[in-house]
Amino acid sequence: MSVQEAVEKTGVSAETVHITAAELPGYIASLPRLLLKNLSVVVSGGTVASALNIRGFYGPGRLWIQRKGDAPLVLTKGAVVMWNTLQIILTRLTFQGEHAPDSGGAFVEVYASSPVSLEHCEVDGTGAGGWGVLATSGSTVHLNGCTVQKTHGALLCQSGCVMSADDCAGADNSMGGTVYYGGLILLSGSTPNLMGGAANGKNGGLIASAAGTVL
């Protein structure tokens, strides 16, 4: 029986695992790239001291990483979400300290991945600047209830990507949203037009306000 036939026969199962903050990068690295289930990874509060790499996942499943309880879950070297073709969800994570290790200079970098959701996450660029969330190479990224502060730019969307931000907030950013090479940023709900920045940036893309006007 092929993998496709097995999935069609049994459907997609669900599984929840509980791990510590220190275990998170290694656990994600250990997973099979073909994900046949809806996997929820519940992580206790603490510090993740190495970069979180979510790369190359595919299949009918879903990967959902979420913080457990009220204690902060702080990632001090960012996250790279790359080459995924299934749903990736990051919930209630805090990014501060250093950028993700790739060349984008952002705390959360999304490359060639769709769909990716950040829910109630926080980015604090104090002392590091850079971009808050970057989307490139045809990715689709949705932010819901997220806060981005003290960055060079809150959102960067480029190279045919779509980024939406619903009920998000920003403060003390040099730039708000920036689009390049066909990027599209859609603001909705209570998300302010400038995401706490002095201006938005456009070089071959569009930014639309919650009211539906082009900024």
Side-chain angles (χ1 to χ4, degrees), residues 5-30:
E5 289 170 337
V7 171
E8 290 176 348
K9 182 177 180 179
T10 63
V12 179
S13 62
E15 180 181 355
T16 299
V17 299
H18 294 261
I19 62 174
T20 67
E23 293 171 328
L24 177 59
Y27 178 77
I28 297 302
S30 73

Side-chain angles (χ1 to χ4, degrees), residues 59-187:
R62 179 201 68 201
L63 179 59
W64 182 11
I65 301 172
Q66 56 186 301
R67 186 188 83 198
K68 178 182 179 180
D70 295 328
L73 177 59
V74 181
L75 289 83
T76 61
K77 294 189 177 179
V80 177
V81 183
M82 180 180 286
W83 305 321
N84 303 286
T85 58
L86 49 70
Q87 185 180 26
I88 307 292
I89 307 172
L90 306 177
T91 300
R92 300 203 303 160
L93 310 184
T94 298
F95 299 90
Q96 63 183 39
E98 300 179 21
H99 304 144
D102 283 274
S103 60
F107 289 89
V108 181
E109 302 182 355
V110 182
Y111 296 84
S113 294
S114 296
V116 178
S117 297
L118 281 75
E119 300 178 343
H120 305 287
C121 291
E122 298 181 9
V123 177
D124 184 350
T126 301
W131 300 98
V133 181
L134 175 152
T136 189
S137 302
S139 301
T140 58
V141 180
H142 177 63
L143 294 88
N144 177 37
C146 296
T147 300
V148 183
Q149 65 178 357
K150 299 181 179 179
T151 66
H152 168 69
L155 308 175
L156 174 59
C157 186
Q158 62 186 30
S159 304
C161 292
V162 177
M163 181 182 288
S164 60
D166 182 45
D167 290 335
C168 293
D172 300 321
N173 299 304
S174 298
M175 298 288 291
T178 298
V179 288
Y180 287 108
Y181 314 129
L184 176 63
I185 295 178
L186 303 173
L187 309 179

Side-chain angles (χ1 to χ4, degrees), residues 3-4 7 31-37 55-61 86:
V3 170
Q4 180 177 347
V7 171
L31 291 172
R33 301 300 98 174
L34 174 57
L35 198 59
L36 299 176
K37 55 193 171 186
R55 301 183 186 226
F57 287 99
Y58 66 101
L86 49 70

